[in-house]
Amino acid sequence: MPTISELPTTFAEGKILMTRAGDGVGIITFNNPDKRNAMSLEMWEGLGQALVALRDDDAIRVVVLTGAGGKAFVSGADISQFEQSRHNAAASEAYAERSAAQRALLAGYPKPTIACVSGFCLGGGLQIAMLTDMRFAAADSQFGIPAARLGIAYGYDGLRNLVSLVGPSQARLLLYTGLRVDAAEALRIGLIDRMIPNDELLPATLEIARTIAGNAPLAVKAAKITIAEVLKDESRRDMEAIKRTGDACMDSEDFREGRRAFMEKRKPAFKGR
Ligand code: COA
């Protein structure tokens, strides 16, 4: 069982926590369990600050997002803020604008990200999970997009990610009905990548995160960049970026270290250059 010794750094008055879990892994926790970690605008700001801190920390190679309390990852946007800040189209646009920078930060994050989901992962919470590189979920987790029950439209970016994960028909089923699916169904349709027994979720997630963190950072980055380019429309695809990141690997000290460690039958010590 991995241990996390460091006390968390807090953002958004403690509703976002950031921890360095050792071995190159950072953890960001949505921490408002009384509201099932519903995302307020203040929490979006805090999430952005935590993401920047871990992005700029050279010791961190992988970031895990998770929810406190065991009952939810994130239960969506905080509906109690809607009456004041999301009551019509103009207000809704301004509201979305206030989290746009943080969503873009997560979408283009330079390090691998993993959503570690237990309990409810709904609406805007699912959008956050879909912005990460992969999703691991507890066997008792539940997923859904209740937008049609509330009368709101789920935005383009969220739907683009959903359609690319589950395909258009499953996306329609989720959106038209607003019904929740359990972890087994989420795994079957490709919404999550691993279903893990509840009490093993965090240790299993950290083990994979640490495996990634122990690999050559430039090679992991090349995979991340190239897969992101594959997902773009061909007209917008940056083949030069793919070449640059591939060249950076092949010219790196780490590639030399990887080759030598293999020949010398030892574990490589990668430096990310
Ligand atoms: N925004 C604001 N408050 C929320 C919330 C949200 N998205 N989700 C949960 N809460 C609050 C509830 O209002 C309740 O507050 P209260 O204790 O003051 O009454 C508290 O969190 C616990 O929720 P509750 O419904 O009692 O817990 P539950 O375990 O029975 O159900 C959910 C949890 C997440 C299934 C349910 O709360 C729910 O459907 N939430 C709304 C989800 C949603 O529509 N998300 C999309 C928003 S765009």
Side-chain angles (χ1 to χ4, degrees):
M1 176 98 179
T3 51
I4 301 162
S5 50
E6 191 198 68
L7 279 176
T9 307
T10 62
F11 300 92
E13 295 180 335
K15 294 197 172 83
I16 297 286
L17 309 177
M18 185 188 87
T19 323
R20 291 173 179 80
D23 300 323
V25 179
I27 303 179
I28 296 174
T29 305
F30 303 103
N31 183 40
N32 192 6
D34 287 349
K35 275 197 175 184
R36 305 296 181 265
N37 304 325
M39 231 17 217
S40 63
L41 289 166
E42 296 72 26
M43 285 167 74
W44 272 109
E45 275 170 31
L47 173 63
Q49 289 159 350
L51 284 169
V52 166
L54 293 176
R55 180 197 65 193
D56 295 343
D57 182 342
D58 287 341
I60 296 295
R61 293 184 176 173
V62 179
V63 174
V64 172
L65 301 188
T66 192
K71 288 190 177 162
F73 175 72
V74 171
S75 65
D78 185 338
I79 301 170
S80 70
Q81 292 190 323
F82 284 11
E83 201 56 47
Q84 221 187 351
S85 27
R86 210 181 175 184
H87 50 282
N88 60 25
S92 190
E93 204 174 315
Y95 174 94
E97 197 51 47
R98 286 184 62 185
S99 60
Q102 292 84 346
R103 279 181 277 119
L105 178 62
L106 187 53
Y109 206 64
K111 301 175 182 182
T113 51
I114 303 173
C116 175
V117 176
S118 69
F120 296 108
C121 181
L122 303 175
L126 185 53
Q127 190 180 0
I128 294 172
M130 291 190 297
L131 283 169
T132 66
D133 289 334
M134 50 202 130
R135 286 144 294 284
F136 302 159
D140 75 348
S141 52
Q142 290 196 42
F143 300 81
I145 302 180
R149 290 166 175 250
L150 288 161
I152 56 180
Y154 207 62
Y156 172 78
D157 288 338
L159 278 187
R160 192 190 50 200
N161 290 336
L162 181 69
V163 171
S164 92
L165 288 172
V166 304
S169 299
Q170 293 289 354
R172 290 184 191 108
L173 190 54
L174 284 169
L175 265 294
Y176 293 179
T177 65
L179 290 175
R180 299 201 290 258
V181 296
D182 63 16
E185 176 71 352
L187 183 67
R188 193 186 69 75
I189 65 177
L191 192 53
I192 62 171
D193 306 290
R194 286 274 158 73
M195 179 173 72
I196 299 171
N198 299 356
D199 53 355
E200 292 168 27
L201 177 67
L202 186 61
T205 302
L206 290 181
E207 195 182 322
I208 294 181
R210 286 174 174 147
T211 300
I212 297 168
N215 283 337
L218 289 176
V220 173
K221 189 174 171 191
K224 178 155 179 159
I225 288 175
T226 306
I227 292 166
E229 293 299 329
V230 168
L231 289 173
K232 287 183 186 168
D233 288 342
E234 205 174 342
S235 60
R236 294 189 53 230
R237 201 167 290 152
D238 185 352
M239 297 306 288
E240 266 309 304
I242 296 174
K243 177 159 175 20
R244 269 196 309 278
T245 188
D247 286 351
C249 282
M250 302 314 283
D251 282 340
S252 68
E253 269 180 49
D254 280 353
F255 178 38
R256 198 164 56 222
E257 165 66 5
R259 292 193 307 266
R260 284 184 184 159
F262 178 81
M263 297 310 290
E264 293 163 12
K265 299 191 188 306
R266 61 174 172 82
K267 196 167 174 263
F270 292 121
K271 296 188 178 132
R273 53 176 192 263

